[in-house]
Amino acid sequence: MAHRFYSSANTSGPITDESLFWGRRQFIQSAAVLGLASSGGAQAGWFSDPESPQRLLRPLSYKASADRAAARMTDEYGVTHYNNFYEFGLDKEAPAKSAQELRTSPWSVIVEGELDKPQTFGLEDLLRALPLEERVYRLRCVEAWSMVVPWIGFPLASLLKKVAPNSRAKFVAFETLHDPKQMPGQRPGVLGYSSLDWPYREGLRIDEAMHPLTLIAVGVYGKELPPQNGAPLRLVVPWKYGFKSIKSIVRIRLAEKQPPTSWNLSAPSEYGFYANVNPAVDHPRWSQGKERRIYSSSLTGVERIVTRPFNGYGEQVASLYSGMDLKRYF
Ligand SMILES: Nc1nc2c(c(=O)[nH]1)N[C@H]1C(S)=C(S)[C@@H](COP(=O)(O)O)O[C@H]1N2
Ligand SMILES: [Mo]
């Protein structure tokens, strides 16, 4: 991705890159210490809307994860202010600014296709029915940066089990909201960037979708998801490149055939359908052998580390791909 700006990132180098982004951090961090800036974008949308039915569910009750204390996580400011959400602009800082007006309540998700009965779920129905848990996952973007994020959500499998997919359901397709009024990136010409065919679409094989690691996130850092992270609900598939983890989902379709997916459609030789994190298969324009792990908002919080196959989740997921040539099915 980042067809237009990645080349400049290459020439200016990662240090310049990061200092541009993190330059104003010192000040904001001290405000956060005083408790002034800690909720950030989470104040927008249904989080603060007094009319919102989801508001009744606050505070999010979730089972805290055991590994949270042990994990070295990316700080909350980093997770919520360095984003890819092209509907709201191409710069990493853009979504945190321009996504705040996204109306996330009411919100419903249509689940249709190869199942007995199509259903539409209000977000609050899902929140009432499915227990929330915290999962601290590594997130590895195809652009070779990564974070460690404490998501809150429920396994996608719990939702799919409710709709009873039939035996023809071999794949699951997902769609983001399509609303150019709210999403400036979807307006023709506004960003001068037209290589994505909206709405943003993603897909998984059914066994990947049913895998217990595959999460629908509704929160992060103990709060409702802020808009820039894909409110009110988004996919998180931790062993795949970040672009698989589609945000602000409105439609889930069970399908017999592999569905078309946005980045794969836009550049099929660069972004595969599977997109499993794989240091042995480079992106045509850069190496995937290492990654810049962003831990904190300070310049010292970036480490260059070796990328692991399946983003370190191989023990849990490698068996899904036994016998497959992962260079071909990248
Ligand atoms: N709808 C939509 N979903 C999206 C994207 C996007 O541009 N639009 N970007 C993807 C990419 S490339 C990444 S790395 C992750 C980033 O998630 P985060 O901003 O919450 O860290 O979201 C993914 N989901
Ligand atoms: Mo990404």
Side-chain angles (χ1 to χ4, degrees), residues 1 84 141-142 243:
M1 40 211 47
N84 273 335
C141 177
V142 74
F243 68 86

